[in-house]
Amino acid sequence: MILTVTLNPSMDSIYFTDTFVLGAMNRCSNPIKAVGGKGINAGRTAAILGGKVTTMGVLAGKNGELIRHELEQEPFKTKFISIFGESRNAVTVMDREKNQTEIVELGPEITADTEKIILDTILDFADEQNEGPIIALCGSANTKNDYLYQEYLLQLRDKLGTKVKILTDISGKQLKNVLNNSVKPYFIKPNIQEFSDLIDLPLTSKIDVINNLNHPMLKEVPFVLISCGGDGAVAKYHDQIFDVIIPTIDIINPTGSGDATVGGVAFALDQNFSIEETLRYAMACGMSNALEQAVGYVSIENVETLKNQIILKEIEQMFHV
Ligand SMILES: Nc1ncnc2c1ncn2[C@@H]1O[C@H](COP(=O)(O)OP(=O)(O)OP(=O)(O)O)[C@@H](O)[C@H]1O
Ligand SMILES: [Mg+2]
């Protein structure tokens, strides 16, 4: 059983224009609309693969109702809490040259009270399961509390023990604070830029990533997957390090590939697959998402085919303490 959590879902609109001129009237076609949210995308991916998925989070106002309605058509169960405010809109304008302009609202605030309700909902859900679920905490939250995810991790570990695997796809201060604590997530998936920000070093290649896998911040995180877009990924699983090599593909839209990757990992862990098979699923899902126009969507046929094209190169550790 997989539970994914999204604390700031959005109603996404993409407008296509010939040109976009600042300070002028820009006419465009009607937008393509879709629900956005990292945990929702990861949950959709895992559900398409055949996982039993519940996705939860918070929704607010009229937009929240719209999102709730859309989510009812999805291949997962939902458990969204209604809170005060308005779920956010995220608007993208794409011109002929593929320049992308984005306007993203803050979304409803996660107050201390909401924080507690979310935690209780996760705990209630975990209690109802026969086996410990995989819990994926994904995406940003509009909160003044930079320790929100750290606190969730502490509480979840305290109440549910180590049998429940907690995955996070978060960045910035929240990730830093999570990793600076003694209770670590089971899995993290920063992309190369997020990893670079985390350790405060300019990283541009997989070699740079590999050379920094001994960073103290990653210590005791059992499974680290640093995704590198079209270059695949680098993985650290306990004492093993893998260069995860993917074939070149003709992408259509890579947005949400990281979310799909997390969905693939959640599915594979829930199935108790080996680390090698898990990495293959993770990459195949990211790639399959990049082959679709839709964000956070994979095709099971593409995943099955791509999975066999992933090359895993285990790397001898260059650093011994
Ligand atoms: N251009 C691409 N070509 C092939 N595969 C890709 C491409 N971009 C992404 N992928 C696949 O998806 C995985 C995750 O992509 P990426 O590193 O871009 O994640 P991300 O930046 O977290 O994405 P997002 O936050 O938009 O979901 C990659 O490791 C790879 O397997
Ligand atoms: Mg990402």
Side-chain angles (χ1 to χ4, degrees), residues 58-68 81-88 108:
V58 295
L59 293 171
K62 289 231 157 54
N63 254 352
E65 283 315 304
L66 216 62
I67 293 172
R68 192 183 292 280
I81 303 154
S82 293
I83 61 168
F84 180 75
E86 187 69 40
S87 286
R88 61 186 175 153

Side-chain angles (χ1 to χ4, degrees), residues 1-20:
M1 175 57 84
I2 297 162
L3 176 70
T4 71
V5 181
T6 311
L7 298 183
N8 211 350
S10 55
M11 200 59 196
D12 297 349
S13 307
I14 306 181
Y15 292 88
F16 295 93
T17 65
D18 275 349
T19 55
F20 181 70

Side-chain angles (χ1 to χ4, degrees), residues 2 45-46 49 134 167 186-187 189 223 225 259-271 273 278-279 281-283 285:
I2 297 162
T45 300
L49 296 179
I134 307 278
L167 327 183
Y186 179 77
F187 168 83
K189 196 222 67 68
F223 186 5
L225 184 61
D259 308 345
T261 297
V262 173
V265 169
F267 169 75
L269 292 177
D270 194 42
Q271 300 286 319
F273 287 164
T278 302
L279 291 173
Y281 265 99
M283 290 299 97
C285 287

Side-chain angles (χ1 to χ4, degrees), residues 13-15 17 19-22 26 90-95 98-104:
S13 307
I14 306 181
Y15 292 88
T17 65
T19 55
F20 181 70
V21 184
L22 213 61
N26 294 275
V91 175
T92 302
V93 182
M94 179 97 76
D95 73 11
K98 299 253 159 99
N99 290 311
Q100 211 162 296
T101 309
E102 291 183 54
I103 300 171
V104 181

